[in-house]
């Protein structure tokens, strides 16, 4: 029996094109069409389709409003058809955050027949993956209800990561302005067993990765190329302060003070304007402080790399919003997306996270507390800079695993960076991009490798591939990954 699909679009022409593209595969049948969100909700109630394709911009009720109702009342996979204008891209990112399965770029009347065929292939592939994911989740839920043993790939853990909190210490909702300690107050003590007991839990073949994080080599005090020691900086600041004090009582200033002191009794003294020297001193102090803060942000010892695909925007939001603004490491991210959409994704994540989130640009210096999203159409590499810091390098090389940006390419660029403590994270997504390079990093002895567990994945593809390769040290549900990073990255 074919899967039943509903097509929602305000254009009769587009409903026809999309329906024809879907039914090129006999496994799919278009059960009904709707011209706006309100009509779609009524038809979903009566027809109960397996999947919906949804236009974003429609009269009466747009795609975002309809999607909210669907997720609340009749949760089912929804694939968004997105316009390529800036507004359409922003709304698509919001739709993915609300729970849409994925999106494709909407064909237009001017789209070539070749491009329309490509859109059709992508759409049918997404429908196929969505149906497989839906069936797998249903089978898992049924197995849990009947308490039947479920055949899942074996997973070895080098940390007792699935028991971060006791039942009585569930994490409270994080609110803006909370301290780092409050973010980590989820039962950290329970997550820090004695070294001996932790070592007993780790298989012999995995002990190099299970080494306690507290045994890591101490971070260098400063960059090798930095000419100033801490003492020199303190001395320099003291000298500047001394010179500033001398300027503040210059002859001109003293003369002005004497003039004011000789005013006649009862005569009202003119208001003293702000001292120009004082304003300049204050500005110089602020600039020195900013320079010190900028230098500190580039002198990190840890680096986090996250790869994701289908379901990624919502997963990234869940991870990044758990991290404080002063997170002591940069984060590099590959999300499978076409050009321009990644910029909208970075802007959206930046508005929702305490971190600074940007779309990566060529030559950007990595800074702690900042997340860099690989731009669509370019591979992201992390490379050393001449001054001892690290920077972004973008390349237009051929796609790998069918993707550009590719998670494997980003992970591979981290292999030579052995002076950094590298934390490798693989979130929801179809396929296996990232798994092979995660294995190479794992064998090279990176600090931690984390994969999202099946229970929270939209598509359990990329994490599963890594787990089956035996290169994952921690398997965590999505809501725990951000907290875990905040604990292990020092």
């Amino acid at each position: 029996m074919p899967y039943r699909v509903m097509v929602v679009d305000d254009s009769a022409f587009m409903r026809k094109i999309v329906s024809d593209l879907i039914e090129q595969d006999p496994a799919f049948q278009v059960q009904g069409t709707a011209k706006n969100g309100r009509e779609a909700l009524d038809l979903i109630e009566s027809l109960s389709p397996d999947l919906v394709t949804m236009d974003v911009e429609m009269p009466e009720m747009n795609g975002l409003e309809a999607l909210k109702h669907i997720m609340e009342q009749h949760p089912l996979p929804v694939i968004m058809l997105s316009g390529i204008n800036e507004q359409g891209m922003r709304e698509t990112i919001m739709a993915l955050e609300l729970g849409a399965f994925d999106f494709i770029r909407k064909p237009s009347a001017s789209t070539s027949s070749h491009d329309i065929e490509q859109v059709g292939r992508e759409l049918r592939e997404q429908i196929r993956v969505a149906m497989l994911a839906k069936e797998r989740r249903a089978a898992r839920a049924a197995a849990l209800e009947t308490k039947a043993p479920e055949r899942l790939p074996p997973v070895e853990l080098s940390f007792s990561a699935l028991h971060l909190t006791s039942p009585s210490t569930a994490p409270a909702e994080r609110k803006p302005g909370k301290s780092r300690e409050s973010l980590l107050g989820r039962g950290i003590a329970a997550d820090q067993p004695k070294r001996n007991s932790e070592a007993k839990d780790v298989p012999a073949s995995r002990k190099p990765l299970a080494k306690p994080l507290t045994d890591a080599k101490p971070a260098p005090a400063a960059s090798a190329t930095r000419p100033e020691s801490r003492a020199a900086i303190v001395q320099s600041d003291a000298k500047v302060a001394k010179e500033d004090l001398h300027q503040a009582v210059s002859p001109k200033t003293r003369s002005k003070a004497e003039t004011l002191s000789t005013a006649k009794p009862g005569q009202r003294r003119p208001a003293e304007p702000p001292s120009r020297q004082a304003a300049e001193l204050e500005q110089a102090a602020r600039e020195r402080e900013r320079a010190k803060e900028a230098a500190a942000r580039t002198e990190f010892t840890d680096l986090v790399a996250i790869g994701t695909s289908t379901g990624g925007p919502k997963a990234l939001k869940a991870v990044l919003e758990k991290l404080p603004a002063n997170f002591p490491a940069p984060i590099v991210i590959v999300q499978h997306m076409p050009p321009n959409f990644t910029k909208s994704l970075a802007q959206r994540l930046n508005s929702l996270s305490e971190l600074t989130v940007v779309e990566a640009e060529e030559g950007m210096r990595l800074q702690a507390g900042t997340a860099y999203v690989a731009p669509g159409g370019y591979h992201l590499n992390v490379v050393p800079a001449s001054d001892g810091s690290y920077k972004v390098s973008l390349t237009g090389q051929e796609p790998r695993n069918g993707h550009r940006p590719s998670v494997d390419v980003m992970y591979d660029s981290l292999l030579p960076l052995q002076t950094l403590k590298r934390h490798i994270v693989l979130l929801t997504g179809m396929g296996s991009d990232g798994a092979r390079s995660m294995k190479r990093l794992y064998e090279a002895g990176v600090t931690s490798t984390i994969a999202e567990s099946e229970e929270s994945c939209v598509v359990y593809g990329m994490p599963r591939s890594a787990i089956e390769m035996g290169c994952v040290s921690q398997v965590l549900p999505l809501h725990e990954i951000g907290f875990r990073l905040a604990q292990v990255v020092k």
Side-chain angles (χ1 to χ4, degrees):
M1 182 176 178
Y3 294 109
R4 298 162 300 160
V5 181
M6 176 182 293
V7 175
V8 185
D9 198 294
D10 61 329
S11 165
F13 174 75
M14 194 56 58
R15 292 197 297 272
K16 173 63 174 172
I17 288 181
V18 174
S19 297
D20 289 347
L21 291 175
I22 291 171
E23 290 188 335
Q24 286 182 20
D25 189 327
F28 310 132
Q29 178 185 8
V30 175
Q31 187 182 29
T33 63
K35 62 179 178 292
N36 59 55
R38 191 170 302 283
E39 187 175 308
L41 294 178
D42 294 337
L43 285 176
I44 289 172
E45 185 76 34
S46 60
L47 299 179
S48 299
D50 297 308
L51 180 141
V52 173
T53 70
M54 180 80 68
D55 187 21
V56 176
E57 298 178 10
M58 295 180 292
E60 194 167 340
M61 179 182 284
N62 64 32
L64 287 179
E65 294 175 6
L67 177 65
K68 291 177 186 177
H69 287 288
I70 291 172
M71 292 297 115
E72 292 172 359
Q73 300 170 12
H74 304 281
L76 53 82
V78 177
I79 296 175
M80 307 301 295
L81 273 66
S82 171
I84 60 175
N85 58 39
E86 187 174 346
Q87 179 66 18
M89 288 185 285
R90 281 199 303 266
E91 290 175 341
T92 298
I93 299 301
M94 294 178 66
L96 295 173
E97 184 184 315
L98 290 170
F101 180 80
D102 211 333
F103 75 97
I104 61 168
R105 282 172 290 184
K106 185 177 180 178
S108 65
S110 61
T111 304
S112 68
S113 58
H114 173 76
D115 290 339
I116 289 178
E117 290 174 3
Q118 176 64 25
V119 169
R121 285 192 294 271
E122 292 177 2
L123 177 57
R124 291 189 295 273
E125 177 62 20
Q126 288 188 12
I127 295 174
R128 189 176 298 109
V129 172
M131 292 297 93
L132 290 174
K134 182 179 178 181
E135 290 173 356
R136 184 174 178 87
R137 281 196 300 272
R140 180 183 176 87
L144 292 174
E145 285 181 7
T146 59
K147 297 184 179 179
E150 188 178 10
R151 297 177 63 184
L152 293 175
V155 180
E156 293 181 356
L157 303 179
S158 65
F159 295 89
S160 45
L162 297 179
H163 305 284
L164 293 177
T165 54
S166 63
S168 62
T169 56
E173 182 73 20
R174 182 172 67 85
K175 297 181 180 179
K178 289 246 179 176
S179 68
R180 179 184 178 89
E181 289 74 19
S182 67
L183 288 173
L184 303 184
R186 310 175 63 248
I188 295 178
D191 191 56
Q192 296 178 340
K194 295 181 180 179
R195 296 182 184 179
N196 292 339
S197 62
E198 184 174 1
K200 290 177 183 177
D201 295 335
V202 182
S205 62
R206 303 291 303 287
K207 283 191 177 181
L209 278 183
K211 184 176 180 181
L213 294 174
T214 53
D215 290 344
K217 292 181 180 180
S223 169
T225 60
R226 188 176 177 87
E228 298 176 342
S229 66
R230 183 179 294 274
I233 293 174
V234 172
Q235 292 174 358
S236 176
D237 285 349
K239 181 178 179 181
V240 171
K242 185 175 180 180
E243 292 174 353
D244 292 344
L245 180 62
H246 178 73
Q247 292 175 2
V249 291
S250 62
K252 183 177 180 180
T253 306
R254 286 196 301 270
S255 174
K256 186 174 184 180
E258 289 169 357
T259 301
L260 290 173
S261 65
T262 56
K264 296 180 180 180
Q267 181 179 352
R268 210 171 162 183
R269 298 180 182 181
E272 177 69 15
S275 169
R276 180 177 179 182
Q277 290 97 333
E280 291 174 351
L281 292 177
E282 185 177 348
Q283 179 65 21
R286 283 198 296 265
E287 289 176 358
R288 288 196 299 272
E289 189 62 30
R290 282 195 293 267
K292 290 179 183 178
E293 290 175 359
R297 288 196 296 270
T298 60
E299 293 177 354
F300 48 83
T301 59
D302 294 64
L303 174 67
V304 176
I306 301 176
T308 186
S309 184
T310 309
K314 190 174 182 179
L316 289 170
K317 171 183 176 291
V319 172
L320 298 184
E321 69 182 3
K322 302 293 194 304
L323 303 177
N326 63 346
F327 187 68
I331 302 170
V332 287
I333 297 169
V334 163
Q335 161 72 60
H336 294 160
M337 267 188 177
N340 300 319
F341 284 88
T342 46
K343 182 176 182 180
S344 295
L345 173 64
Q347 292 171 342
R348 179 63 177 167
L349 291 173
N350 186 60
S351 70
L352 299 170
S353 169
E354 291 184 7
L355 300 171
T356 299
V357 185
V358 298
E359 184 182 45
E361 296 178 5
E362 174 64 28
M364 271 186 170
R365 290 296 198 275
L366 298 190
Q367 294 187 345
T370 302
Y372 303 84
V373 179
Y378 291 91
H379 292 303
L380 185 152
N381 301 267
V382 178
V383 298
S386 58
D387 60 358
S389 62
Y390 298 90
K391 65 180 182 179
V392 169
S393 173
L394 302 178
T395 66
Q397 295 173 346
E398 288 299 310
R400 192 189 297 188
N401 307 315
H403 301 289
R404 188 174 61 202
S406 163
V407 183
D408 269 327
V409 170
M410 178 180 69
Y411 285 174
D412 279 345
S413 74
L414 307 183
L415 275 167
L417 311 182
Q418 298 181 5
T419 58
L420 289 175
K421 289 183 279 187
R422 294 153 292 177
H423 307 270
I424 314 302
V425 182
L426 206 50
L427 302 178
T428 175
M430 70 174 81
S432 61
D433 189 27
R436 293 180 183 84
S437 295
M438 178 182 269
K439 184 172 178 63
R440 287 191 283 270
L441 287 163
Y442 178 89
E443 291 171 345
V446 295
T447 305
S448 60
T449 54
I450 300 172
E452 183 181 351
S453 62
E454 181 178 7
E455 65 188 86
S456 61
C457 276
V458 174
V459 178
Y460 188 52
M462 291 157 56
R464 180 179 184 177
S465 297
I467 291 169
E468 289 177 344
M469 289 182 182
C471 60
V472 177
S473 59
Q474 302 173 71
V475 179
L476 299 172
L478 181 62
H479 68 273
E480 291 186 3
I481 293 175
F483 286 116
R484 186 59 178 166
L485 288 173
Q487 290 177 341
V488 300
V489 177
K490 304 297 183 183

